[in-house]
Amino acid sequence: MKIKQSRMLRREKYQAWLSIAPTLILIIIMCGYPLIQTIATSFTQWNGIGDPNPVGLKNYIDILSGSQFYLLLKNNFVFLLFIPVQIVIGTMIAVFINDEVPGWKVYRVVYYIPQVISAVIVGYLFMVMFGYEGPVNLMLQGLGVIKESIGWLESGTTARIVVLICLVWVNIGWQSLLSLGGLASIPPSLYEAAKLDGAGYWKRLFKITFPMLGRTIEYSCIVSVMWVFTGIFPYIFALTGGGPGYETATIDYMIYLKSFSANSQYGYASALAVLLIIIVLIFTVIQLRVSDKQNSWEG
Amino acid sequence: MKKVIALVLVLVLVAACASCGAPTGTTTTTPEAGQSAGQSAEETGGSASAEAQDGDIVLKYWITPAMANEADMQTPEEDWFIVQKIHEFEEANPGVKIDYTVITDDGSLPQMFKAAAMTNDCPDIINVWSGNTLFQLEDLVVDLTDLISKDTKDNMVGWDATTLAKDGQEKILAYPTSGNEINGFFYNKQILADCGLDYDKNPPADLDAFLKDLQTIKDKGYTPVYAADSGWSKGYLSVFAAYWQQISGKDRIVSDGGGEASFTDDEGFLQSFKIPADMYANGLMNADYASVASADDKAEFLIGKAAILAGGNGEASTIVDALGLENVGFIAPPSPADAQTKNAGIGGAGQALAISQTCENQDMAVKFLEFLASKEVHAELADHMSKLPLRTDVTAEELNIEAGSVYEQMYDAAQGYVFWVDNLLKPDVAAELMAMSAQVVIGQMTPEDLAKDLDGVAAAAE
Amino acid sequence: MQKTWKNKVGRALLVAILVALVVVFLYPLIFMALNSMKDKIEYYSNAFALPTAPTLDNYIALFNKFGIGRYLGNTLLISAGSLVLTLVCALFASYAFARMKFRGKSPTYLFIICTMFLPAQVIMIPLYVMYAKMGLINTYTGVILATTAAMLPNTILLLRSNFITIDKEIFEAAKLDGAGYFQIIKNILIPLGKPAIAISSIFNFLVVCNDLFRPMILLQAADKRTLTVALAALSSQKFGDPTYLFAGLTISALVPLVVYLIFSKSIVKGLTVGSIK
């Protein structure tokens, strides 16, 4: 018996590694090797021609002592602000859909559509929507909120607001479907008990629904934070091009700019990339720690 | 589910076969090259009617949309003018094949070229932006100074855009191409007439007179000047930067960018921003300068709401289509009193054709570029693109330019062009200028602050 | 949670808000589609009026002159190729992570999942240089491989968490019956894992369809371009026809939209069943 088991285990080990092999090889080649290259390049100055010129920590020092990096970082942080909005609105919508409010089937399908459209299209459309004679300005003027059109994309603050609105627009549908799933696992008996105790609608919402959705919200937090640092590039590319000036540029957008412009500064871009990875890791670790604490607290 | 997987697997196999035969376009000549060239003919749609054979010379050529006008952009590449020229050359030179690839993102082309230069798969001829973009590639392209024919050298303008002056020596790195360019102000004759102005007979004497006219136009209820940043600093770089050139001149601009002189006390630089900024502040320019999308950047002019458009010859055909040939005119930016060069608009050859040092058939490559630079091709090219030939031996009559028309006005103005300022500056400085120019025009940043900013960037770049 | 809003007015207000949201989500797309049927000048004059004489000229031009059919084909080819490759690799890998015991399982799994955090821009330049040396630039294979590598971590995450929920006994029983490796996959994993497999297929297809960055850098050749890249070229500088652009964007949006609408039920089920975690 023992011999058979160990042989079976060994066979399983071979099977396992063989199963993983294609995936692992592909990922190591496509991600692992370039990653190492990037780290190596970050310690050089290289414009793509000839050999890279090693300069040690110069790139990092330049980045961290300049002011632009902190502008980019600030923008990243500002864009994180969309997450609470997304979570609250998305979850409330989920609640309404769960309640089977009239038309819920339509809402469920339609609200997710922004996720299905290419980011470039979304960005471009938002740019048009917030133009001088775009629907947003016209509507605001029609409602009497403002007298003259606002140049949304002309100043840093308003441009960032437009990006935030865009990010919310894109993600509410995703969040609501996610929360909908989480809602399904809340036992109805909890609500019955609360109702018997006389708890009103809002009280039930905030005291039962939101806390019970803890894990779902946690998950969407982690994923969304990561997304802000690594995934909003196409939206910024199409909506503002990082502008006005660099007011809506994020770190990953700057990496693109530094790599793909006439004067490519691969060393600098690589150093930015490494810093970005470190930041993402820090955030993720913090979030996982917090969620671990929460979970162990719940027992 | 299984059927779907099977179907898709078949598709993938087909794709795999197709990509195996995909043209990597070598300059060596082997039967393999023949096969791949044949397949590439299907895929690029007709790079040659015959298949390459042993002993054939294959030139790999990267084209960008710079060689295509707005109408071309809406048709497949096989119908483009430049492709037809390629076929012409191939027919005149049996045994030579030109394997072309259209690279749509001409901003990334330098990167792609640098990466390709490290491999076996490098193009022989590339179409890049002239000026600094080309100069960055100095170590990768052939020095053409002694290879260009005298006829071409003497009869073509635009060499300033492709000649690198370093350490007291001058190297010509590429043929200027596509066409000459000129930018300035297009005007709608009907609107001007309605305001009592006629720029055909009485163009504004100087900048002050121009500004007064704009005020008159504004009082009549039209948008005086329509200009746009279009995401690439179009309004400033094409039109208002001319004032910088007019006042300070090319050498001063180069020293600013190099850090030897400073932007902060460059009066021409400051004026070049103050002029549009004042226009904007006084309502003489459209309010959406900074935010209008590139596709809409002529909107008000085309529908007759704006009197004057800040634009360039590349847009002339669209404008003429919308407003009618009799209704459009063109003037170069009217100069302020202290300008060194009067009434000069930004222009020059924006594009260049260079030969890579990895090219194994440089003689044939030069022959091809000479062909493209020849008088006949240039006349056609000018006709097709901008009506502004780079060759001085192509006259206005040969181009069938109507006397007195906007095309003639541009042709005349183009003779006295000043060069694109972003091509005179180091790339870092140019990038910073382009990122910030819209802010300054609409008054969110002062020209002095931008000057300080640029001085900082110029100092930091080595 | 049964009907909690007994208040009719409250309910009506709620419905009004939700309907308004529908408008907010659909309006930009409708704007785009409507304006694609206008002539450029008409659009400049009034962007919000309904087209007075709706014309499909832009669409015809896109198909005939611009050759948008070709780009559509390229996009579909790459999406399908990437989808198949991803599914095959992920299926085997997820099976191993879910059901097999072996040393180094956790670290390897973690490693693969962590590559999800890698922004594409970070690896794009070295990848491009590597591809240039391997001759993979401007090939379908190159893009498919790169996209697959990007889709794999997410897919494995999904499939693994789904496979783990399959009862252990089913596997034991099958092994006792003498089922081999491939038979287990064919007879157990695929049938029982169908919803997860379906959902990740649809997701992957949609994401790859809409991907801009990878094909933009890796697949520059004009004839092999994908739809998103071709349209990005149109929306950049020096192109002056917004209605034409809208038509192109509409076509580009229709492809994933149609796929989504056909499969919307499965998508909703997949997301809500929490099979993501």
Side-chain angles (χ1 to χ4, degrees), chain B residues 1-2 4-5 8-9 11-12 14-16 18-20 22-24 40 42-45 60 62 70-71 73-78 101-106 108 111-113 115-116 118-121 129 181 230 232 294-300 302-303 318 322 351 420, chain C residues 40-45 61-62 64-67 70-71 76-77 80-85 87-88 128-129 131-135 137-142 144 186 190 194 197-198 201 216-217 220-225 229 233-242 244-245:
Chain B
M1 193 58 182
K2 265 197 208 152
V4 175
I5 294 188
V8 177
L9 265 170
L11 276 175
V12 172
V14 170
S19 66
C20 284
T24 50
S40 88
E42 281 158 42
E43 284 168 347
T44 60
K60 197 160 186 271
W62 279 6
E70 279 187 6
M73 290 287 278
Q74 297 182 9
T75 65
E77 283 88 29
E78 300 89 69
T101 312
V102 176
I103 309 287
T104 46
D105 186 5
D106 44 354
S108 310
Q111 268 58 252
M112 299 173 56
F113 178 58
M118 293 189 266
T119 73
N120 282 332
D121 187 15
W129 294 341
E181 301 174 13
S230 288
W232 56 278
S294 139
D296 301 332
D297 66 6
K298 300 187 269 294
E300 276 187 25
L302 293 180
I303 58 176
T318 314
Q351 302 286 332
W420 295 90
Chain C
K40 173 172 75 181
I41 303 288
E42 195 191 333
Y43 170 68
Y44 286 149
S45 318
L62 277 169
N64 288 342
K65 291 165 107 201
F66 187 66
R70 191 168 43 178
Y71 305 131
L76 288 176
L77 184 61
S82 171
L83 174 62
V84 166
L85 194 56
L87 274 183
V88 168
Y128 182 79
V129 172
Y131 266 28
K133 295 205 178 124
M134 301 200 303
I137 302 278
N138 282 332
T139 61
Y140 293 117
T141 325
I144 292 181
K186 191 169 89 165
I190 295 187
K194 223 193 286 205
I197 296 178
S201 309
M216 183 167 86
I217 307 291
Q220 268 290 339
D223 52 320
K224 296 218 185 82
R225 258 180 283 156
V229 175
L234 270 190
S235 68
S236 68
Q237 26 172 294
K238 308 202 186 194
F239 183 74
D241 197 342
Y244 189 80
L245 178 61

